[in-house]
Amino acid sequence: MESIRRLIFLALIGISFITIVNAQDQQGFISIDCGMSRNESSYTDESTGLNFSSDADFISSGESGTIKTEDPGSGVKYIKPYKQLRYFPEGTRNCYNLTVMQGTHYLIRAVFLYANYDDLKQKPIFDLHLGPNFWATIDLQDIFGNIERIRLEEGTIEEIIHMPKSNTLDICLVKRGPTTPFISALELRPLRDDTYTTTTGSLKLIARSYFSNHDSFSNPESIIRYPDDVHDRLWDVYFYNEEWTEINTTTPVNTTANAFDLPQAIISKASIPKGAGKSWNNFWFMQNTDDVHLYLHFAEIQALKPSDSREFSILWNENTKISDDYSPLEFMADTVPIRTSTKCDVTCSLDLTRTKSSTLPPSCNAIEVFGVLQLLQSETDKNDVTALKNIQATYRLQKTSWQGDPCVPIQYMWTGLNCSNMFPSIPPRITSLDFSNFGLNGTISSDIQYLNQLQKLDLSNNNLTGKVPEFLAKLKLLTVINLSGNNLSGSIPQSLRNMDKNGLITLLIKGNENLCLDPSCDGNNKKKLLVPILASAASVGIITAVLLVIILLLRKKKPSKASRSSMVANKRSFTYEEVAVITNNFERTLGEGGFGVVYHGNLNGNEQVAVKVLSESSAQGYKQFKAEVDLLLRVHHINLVTLVGYCDEGQHLVLIYEYMSNGNLKQHLSEECASSPLSWENRLRIAAETAQGLEYLHIGCKPPMIHRDIKSMNILLDNHFQAKLGDFGLSRSFPVGSETHVSTNVAGSPGYLDPEYYRTNWLTEKSDVFSFGVVLLEIITSQPVIDQTREKSHIREWVGFKLTNGDIKNIVDPSLNEDYDTSSLWKALELAMSCVSPSSSGRPNMSQVANELQECLLSENSRKGGRHDVDSKSSFEPSISFGPEHIPDAR
Ligand SMILES: *[C@@H]1O[C@H](CO)[C@@H](O)[C@H](O)[C@H]1NC(C)=O
Ligand SMILES: *[C@@H]1O[C@H](CO)[C@@H](O)[C@H](O)[C@H]1NC(C)=O
Ligand SMILES: *[C@@H]1O[C@H](CO)[C@@H](O)[C@H](O)[C@H]1NC(C)=O
Ligand SMILES: *[C@@H]1O[C@H](CO)[C@@H](O)[C@H](O)[C@H]1NC(C)=O
Ligand SMILES: *[C@@H]1O[C@H](CO)[C@@H](O)[C@H](O)[C@H]1NC(C)=O
Ligand SMILES: *[C@@H]1O[C@H](CO)[C@@H](O)[C@H](O)[C@H]1NC(C)=O
Ligand SMILES: *[C@@H]1O[C@H](CO)[C@@H](O)[C@H](O)[C@H]1NC(C)=O
Ligand SMILES: *[C@@H]1O[C@H](CO)[C@@H](O)[C@H](O)[C@H]1NC(C)=O
Ligand SMILES: *[C@@H]1O[C@H](CO)[C@@H](O)[C@H](O)[C@H]1NC(C)=O
């Protein structure tokens, strides 16, 4: 499996030269000198040539400070941008708000140089967040923890390679304990899409070193960065004097074919072990990560005689071979990317061991080590955030907690809000505004209408003037509106009055002297009809309450109007006779499933439905029927097919679903729809939506559910091609508590069935992940799942076979016409292959899958947005540094 992963990875690096960041010119760089005054203009730092500017436009809180120590000691130079800093005595979470390019990989570096700026001689400890996700703990008291990174005696540097999912990126400092968070500089560098990639998560830097005996690490000058490194990576020198010898060259090393753009100063030097037979060894402290990505940079920089050869094995933790035997290319930069998830005991080590046939010892020029950090929490829905920020601007609201993401993490939710936040992979929505006593003046902001998931709006006790807006009636989920204690005037819109009268909303308007309930007082009529019902006299209040109760009771008798708050109101049981009417005597067949025939139907003459009639012969019929009804009555998700009703009458078992007019995914991937194939974007979206539905079953339901029959035929498409998962007949609740697994009769569809489950009868949610992986392979290839006439009959083996033969282009469905973002395609392929790992422990969970597909979709969309259009097809040039000699065999 590991080798297949590497293979895809190689393909990714070798084939897709998508965005080539313009060398030398700082294009896209964001260089922020934190704490620099707003009135100073940006400047060019002398020693690096980097342009820095003030942070004042990106943050609304904090104060400026200046470091005390002028002596840099060892490590990074105290360049001008690092001498000033911003510290945050107020608030728990303070955030920078940066504008970035959505869907671009960035190297994000935060510099913290304490140097006793506050004269307290107490090094701070605090957390760093990236948007709503934890990034790192900055612990300047932990000398040991900082050793592995760039050595900085009076501070530390934190770096991550991350792809923002929107155009803004929040970087937050979060207080934890008595010390004050601070920051010296923020540096963002866009990277090529094809170099530092992950299946899931972002890459947190553990070490980045080159090896030289003659660049002393106590000398700040030995740190290599911009302009030598066009991407401004910070390369620290390292040397193990007792064991290593340096070799170097003045002959230029050809780096053009290598995507990593390595500086000559790094690639022209290498370390080799002292002593002919010895291996080359290095190790790192891993900081709680098991998933490690390594980038080993090599070049043969000695002119070899014909009789010489240099070849070595690459070993992890002394004995695990993690890559094929390797020979550096002569005067040519080459990178071996390695991903491993072996657990290390405190430290992870790398050994390069000379092979038997090699005459020369191993050599290594430079290494980068990253831990994979999962950033699973989605940011709050973009439209909600925009609306909220407009409301904030309208009322000039300044609250200490109003920084960073409004909803998540929950403990830092902005005051006055409440949000829905069910799953990390689904963007939270704002469900409540409680701005009581916020000192608001002016009219009610029209931006409130864009918060369309709002359930409660409390604007009481402010100084709001003007009319009660009509749009409040259009917010479908809004049930409580509290406008008491303002200076609102005019009449209340008819629609709101009706809804209040019908008990659909609670409208509170007490204490608005100029407001009237009667439409006649609108306009020139000055005769005020003070809201009589809500007058303050207690007796009137009681009478009103009684009246209201009576009105409500009367309303309840009328069955016609469904309550807005009750989402299950439509679920109904039907008689078989009614079913016959709905289907017009079972006139039109839509399809035939495992348990019966599905008919087209019409409910109330206007709602199309699909009616599944279970066949009487179906032995397990009743159990499955009950399972499906029970399940569907308690789960609701936009990506699960909705049950409209059912019939359970003697031997007649019928399920009535919403009608999915575009059939199922399988049809769209087969010959049937060959004339109008689904675009890559649509395929990704369908996959992402299905993944969300499945994620909901796995972690959103209580108890959680396993679908057990995920296949392309069960992924249905509505008239907008939105994907919904159907057919829950085999679903099972999965174990909670002491029971560790469910042993069941193995069930599922051929080709999609998890081999591990088949072998062991051991059912877990990872079996669904396997089946989903098969669907993903279908989506990418449009191949049948099982085809006996193919080289390999099962789709998973076929793809694996193609990969090992380097026949990568022929994996992808030709009807896509190469109209796709290559990196999103390889990423999806790699994700699919990890989902179909033979062993369930090697498979991701559905949250990771959903998240990953969302990212693929983003990079595909950003391509469609035009960013990559210029060179996406033209520069399709395979890298010679990844010739077939490096492609490992599948194990
Ligand atoms: C810039 O602002 C600071 C206070 O923030 C002030 O001390 C300084 O004199 C100002 N400089 C200029 C050039 O206006
Ligand atoms: C950097 O700043 C200098 C002036 O300080 C300016 O001339 C130059 O164009 C800037 N370069 C970039 C890439 O912004
Ligand atoms: C963050 O930056 C964006 C773009 O510059 C801006 O529209 C938005 O208002 C900013 N948000 C905050 C809270 O400053
Ligand atoms: C190259 O190696 C030689 C001998 O080890 C050393 O004297 C020289 O300084 C090195 N050159 C560089 C640029 O490091
Ligand atoms: C570097 O390698 C590339 C790819 O093999 C080749 O096209 C190019 O000519 C080489 N450059 C030099 C200066 O040798
Ligand atoms: C926010 O909503 C949740 C779920 O509806 C509820 O449990 C919680 O009490 C609410 N919090 C506030 C501050 O209203
Ligand atoms: C709201 O109050 C602020 C200060 O209290 C004032 O500057 C502003 O003009 C007022 N806005 C309106 C619309 O009255
Ligand atoms: C409406 O606001 C008033 C004043 O803040 C408050 O006393 C009352 O409890 C609120 N009612 C509801 C239902 O929130
Ligand atoms: C409304 O504004 C007046 C002054 O304009 C102020 O005295 C009063 O406290 C304000 N009321 C509220 C609830 O903010």
Side-chain angles (χ1 to χ4, degrees):
M1 209 51 231
E2 199 60 49
S3 59
I4 289 195
R5 290 173 139 234
R6 175 155 179 245
L7 214 74
I8 299 175
F9 191 47
L10 290 177
L12 180 60
I13 290 174
I15 294 175
S16 61
F17 278 72
I18 305 167
T19 25
I20 298 185
V21 171
N22 210 340
Q24 310 297 351
D25 67 355
Q26 299 185 41
Q27 196 182 9
F29 281 24
I30 299 173
S31 308
I32 297 174
D33 178 350
C34 303
M36 175 179 157
S37 156
R38 182 192 293 276
N39 59 12
E40 276 177 72
S41 58
S42 55
Y43 63 93
T44 305
D45 172 60
E46 276 174 21
S47 63
T48 58
L50 290 164
N51 280 9
F52 277 83
S53 55
S54 159
D55 63 346
D57 288 340
F58 309 107
I59 191 144
S60 54
S61 53
E63 291 170 32
S64 288
T66 308
I67 58 167
K68 292 290 185 299
T69 321
E70 281 295 325
D71 168 26
S74 66
V76 166
K77 250 189 280 192
Y78 284 15
I79 57 175
K80 180 168 189 269
Y82 301 166
K83 290 186 177 165
Q84 281 188 316
L85 54 86
R86 184 177 291 271
Y87 63 99
F88 300 94
E90 307 279 338
T92 326
R93 180 175 68 160
N94 287 277
C95 298
Y96 278 87
N97 168 27
L98 307 177
T99 303
V100 292
M101 293 177 280
Q102 172 180 338
T104 296
H105 285 89
Y106 277 91
L107 179 159
I108 303 171
R109 185 162 52 225
V111 180
F112 307 91
L113 186 55
Y114 173 69
N116 199 28
Y117 79 90
D118 54 3
D119 272 330
L120 294 175
K121 293 204 167 71
Q122 194 194 13
K123 295 182 177 177
I125 304 176
F126 53 92
D127 283 346
L128 196 58
H129 286 197
L130 203 53
N133 289 289
F134 174 81
W135 168 5
T137 292
I138 305 300
D139 182 353
L140 298 180
Q141 295 169 9
D142 174 18
I143 302 158
F144 188 67
N146 294 327
I147 281 177
E148 283 301 303
R149 286 191 285 268
I150 295 278
R151 276 163 285 267
L152 195 56
E153 279 183 359
E154 288 287 336
T156 191
I157 292 179
E158 197 61 54
E159 187 193 300
I160 195 164
I161 293 175
H162 171 70
M163 187 180 87
K165 292 184 183 171
S166 69
N167 290 325
T168 60
L169 179 69
D170 292 323
I171 296 174
C172 304
L173 292 95
V174 180
K175 199 172 164 73
R176 51 176 283 181
T179 55
T180 305
F182 77 96
I183 184 166
S184 309
L186 270 174
E187 302 169 344
L188 279 78
R189 315 291 181 229
L191 296 174
R192 298 165 56 136
D193 292 344
D194 53 359
T195 47
Y196 302 94
T197 57
T198 54
T199 325
T200 64
S202 300
L203 294 176
K204 192 171 143 162
L205 184 69
I206 293 169
R208 176 185 291 124
S209 333
Y210 70 100
F211 307 114
S212 172
N213 199 8
H214 300 96
D215 293 342
S216 143
F217 82 65
S218 62
N219 175 10
E221 302 290 340
S222 66
I223 303 261
I224 293 175
R225 64 180 297 180
Y226 191 85
D228 296 312
D229 186 321
V230 294
H231 302 294
D232 194 27
R233 288 162 292 196
L234 246 58
W235 298 86
D236 194 5
V237 65
Y238 177 75
F239 212 78
Y240 193 8
N241 278 312
E242 292 93 84
E243 297 282 331
W244 295 351
T245 310
E246 175 183 340
I247 53 175
N248 63 34
T249 182
T250 48
T251 311
V253 174
N254 187 340
T255 57
T256 54
N258 177 278
F260 288 83
D261 299 326
L262 298 164
Q264 285 295 329
I266 284 165
I267 200 71
S268 65
K269 300 180 178 102
S271 62
I272 56 172
K274 279 181 182 161
K278 285 201 172 156
S279 63
W280 184 97
N281 170 278
N282 203 350
F283 67 91
W284 302 271
F285 296 93
M286 276 314 164
Q287 309 168 349
N288 313 325
T289 27
D290 294 332
D291 286 343
V292 178
H293 284 208
L294 295 163
Y295 295 88
L296 311 184
H297 304 295
F298 296 111
E300 178 57 73
I301 54 169
Q302 287 184 319
L304 300 190
K305 289 183 235 114
S307 58
D308 281 342
S309 67
R310 190 191 309 277
E311 190 191 48
F312 43 87
S313 309
I314 302 175
L315 303 174
W316 190 239
N317 292 338
E318 288 167 22
N319 46 27
T320 314
K321 212 165 169 175
I322 44 173
S323 186
D324 284 6
D325 292 347
Y326 181 79
S327 287
L329 309 177
E330 286 186 49
F331 295 97
M332 188 84 81
D334 185 27
T335 297
V336 176
I338 292 169
R339 298 174 180 191
T340 165
S341 47
T342 352
K343 258 204 159 34
C344 304
D345 189 15
V346 188
T347 62
C348 284
S349 67
L350 178 76
D351 285 88
L352 306 180
T353 308
R354 170 177 167 170
T355 62
K356 286 207 187 77
S357 61
S358 176
T359 65
L360 296 171
S363 73
C364 186
N365 302 59
I367 291 190
E368 291 171 273
V369 185
F370 297 92
V372 179
L373 188 68
Q374 302 293 348
L375 304 173
L376 295 175
Q377 177 62 58
S378 303
E379 293 166 15
T380 300
D381 180 83
K382 257 189 262 172
N383 295 331
D384 280 8
V385 173
T386 307
L388 189 63
K389 291 204 168 149
N390 289 340
I391 295 166
Q392 179 184 20
T394 307
Y395 296 124
R396 296 192 184 86
L397 283 168
Q398 288 292 346
K399 304 258 165 201
T400 0
S401 71
W402 282 33
Q403 298 203 36
D405 193 284
C407 294
V408 275
I410 293 170
Q411 65 267 40
Y412 307 118
M413 191 188 285
W414 292 10
T415 51
L417 299 189
N418 206 353
C419 304
S420 66
N421 180 30
M422 254 206 300
F423 311 112
S425 68
I426 297 174
R429 302 295 306 263
I430 295 169
T431 56
S432 148
L433 293 187
D434 184 356
F435 292 174
S436 183
N437 293 303
F438 267 34
L440 312 179
N441 60 2
T443 58
I444 293 179
S445 165
S446 62
D447 284 294
I448 290 174
Q449 67 187 302
Y450 304 114
L451 297 173
N452 55 26
Q453 295 288 308
L454 207 59
Q455 296 164 15
K456 184 183 168 207
L457 176 65
D458 188 346
L459 299 174
S460 64
N461 291 344
N462 287 296
N463 268 347
L464 293 168
T465 53
K467 291 185 177 177
V468 175
E470 185 90 42
F471 66 71
L472 292 179
K474 299 216 176 79
L475 288 168
K476 295 228 155 49
L477 303 177
L478 195 57
T479 51
V480 180
I481 305 174
N482 195 344
L483 304 174
S484 330
N486 282 291
N487 280 322
L488 297 164
S489 55
S491 69
I492 293 171
Q494 183 72 38
S495 47
L496 271 181
R497 243 179 298 132
N498 288 346
M499 287 163 73
D500 186 31
K501 214 164 31 181
N502 294 339
L504 293 174
I505 55 167
T506 309
L507 179 63
L508 296 129
I509 49 173
K510 199 152 109 182
N512 288 277
E513 300 208 339
N514 299 318
L515 202 57
C516 79
L517 268 176
D518 193 313
S520 64
C521 58
D522 206 3
N524 57 2
N525 193 345
K526 275 273 141 197
K527 200 182 106 196
K528 286 175 212 155
L529 266 173
L530 279 178
V531 185
I533 310 180
L534 296 173
S536 61
S539 58
V540 178
I542 290 165
I543 294 168
T544 312
V546 171
L547 275 175
L548 271 175
V549 168
I550 292 170
I551 291 170
L552 281 174
L553 284 175
L554 285 174
R555 256 185 48 74
K556 280 248 164 93
K557 292 246 167 89
K558 282 191 267 170
S560 62
K561 251 193 189 162
S563 161
R564 280 150 61 92
S565 50
S566 155
M567 302 292 246
V568 285
N570 281 331
K571 296 266 146 52
R572 288 191 268 164
S573 145
F574 291 85
T575 64
Y576 193 64
E577 212 172 317
E578 284 168 326
V579 172
V581 172
I582 290 169
T583 57
N584 200 11
N585 256 325
F586 308 98
E587 186 190 23
R588 198 175 128 204
T589 310
L590 292 174
E592 208 151 333
F595 312 109
V597 183
V598 183
Y599 298 94
H600 180 266
N602 231 314
L603 201 58
N604 309 324
N606 57 13
E607 189 183 344
Q608 294 194 77
V609 289
V611 180
K612 179 156 102 178
V613 180
L614 272 72
S615 60
E616 287 160 40
S617 59
S618 168
Q620 283 185 306
Y622 193 67
K623 250 167 86 185
Q624 266 137 17
F625 173 79
K626 287 294 283 180
E628 190 148 2
V629 173
D630 287 350
L631 176 75
L632 285 174
L633 286 177
R634 79 192 159 78
V635 304
H636 308 283
H637 189 273
I638 189 161
N639 301 118
L640 301 179
V641 166
T642 307
L643 186 67
V644 178
Y646 62 95
C647 161
D648 179 4
E649 197 181 271
Q651 79 274 42
H652 295 304
L653 305 177
V654 179
L655 294 166
I656 305 170
Y657 304 97
E658 62 180 312
Y659 177 61
M660 303 293 283
S661 58
N662 275 310
N664 66 52
L665 176 62
K666 188 176 177 146
Q667 295 168 314
H668 287 273
L669 293 176
S670 68
E671 298 290 308
E672 244 177 274
C673 295
S675 57
S676 56
L678 287 172
S679 69
W680 177 238
E681 182 191 359
N682 274 327
R683 292 182 197 209
L684 273 179
R685 195 184 36 71
I686 289 167
E689 286 169 355
T690 310
Q692 281 174 9
L694 199 49
E695 180 194 21
Y696 174 80
L697 289 181
H698 288 179
I699 65 171
C701 293
K702 292 211 170 61
M705 301 294 307
I706 306 176
H707 185 286
R708 288 175 83 206
D709 202 12
I710 300 292
K711 52 181 173 182
S712 49
M713 209 201 263
N714 283 342
I715 295 168
L716 305 171
L717 303 170
D718 72 7
N719 53 342
H720 303 297
F721 279 90
Q722 179 163 61
K724 292 173 193 251
L725 203 46
D727 215 330
F728 300 88
L730 292 174
S731 303
R732 288 276 185 287
S733 286
F734 68 88
V736 272
S738 56
E739 231 185 326
T740 52
H741 76 285
V742 189
S743 174
T744 60
N745 291 332
V746 172
S749 298
Y752 295 92
L753 192 59
D754 170 13
E756 189 179 85
Y757 164 50
Y758 183 76
R759 228 178 30 247
T760 60
N761 265 19
W762 187 288
L763 181 65
T764 72
E765 79 280 14
K766 289 289 180 75
S767 300
D768 279 350
V769 176
F770 180 92
S771 313
F772 182 82
V774 174
V775 171
L776 208 46
L777 289 176
E778 284 181 274
I779 288 175
I780 294 165
T781 63
S782 289
Q783 287 276 332
V785 174
I786 293 177
D787 179 356
Q788 303 292 356
T789 64
R790 224 168 23 202
E791 302 101 313
K792 301 275 174 187
S793 63
H794 192 277
I795 192 166
R796 168 177 147 237
E797 274 135 27
W798 179 77
V799 171
F801 172 78
K802 288 276 174 192
L803 279 171
T804 31
N805 284 293
D807 191 7
I808 286 163
K809 280 197 173 156
N810 289 329
I811 291 172
V812 182
D813 180 3
S815 69
L816 285 172
N817 281 323
E818 294 189 18
D819 183 14
Y820 46 76
D821 167 47
T822 334
S823 69
S824 72
L825 193 123
W826 294 124
K827 198 164 171 166
L829 181 56
E830 187 172 5
L831 183 66
M833 289 309 276
S834 68
C835 289
V836 296
S837 293
S839 145
S840 59
S841 62
R843 300 173 201 154
N845 63 36
M846 281 317 293
S847 293
Q848 290 167 328
V849 173
N851 220 42
E852 210 52 30
L853 287 168
Q854 211 59 46
E855 271 183 24
C856 291
L857 191 54
L858 269 178
S859 49
E860 171 66 11
N861 284 341
S862 72
R863 177 186 73 101
K864 286 256 162 104
R867 198 166 63 77
H868 296 165
D869 278 354
V870 189
D871 49 11
S872 64
K873 282 201 190 115
S874 53
S875 52
F876 219 74
E877 200 181 304
S879 152
I880 67 132
S881 62
F882 293 102
E885 73 270 26
H886 302 152
I887 293 174
D889 299 329
R891 263 164 240 151

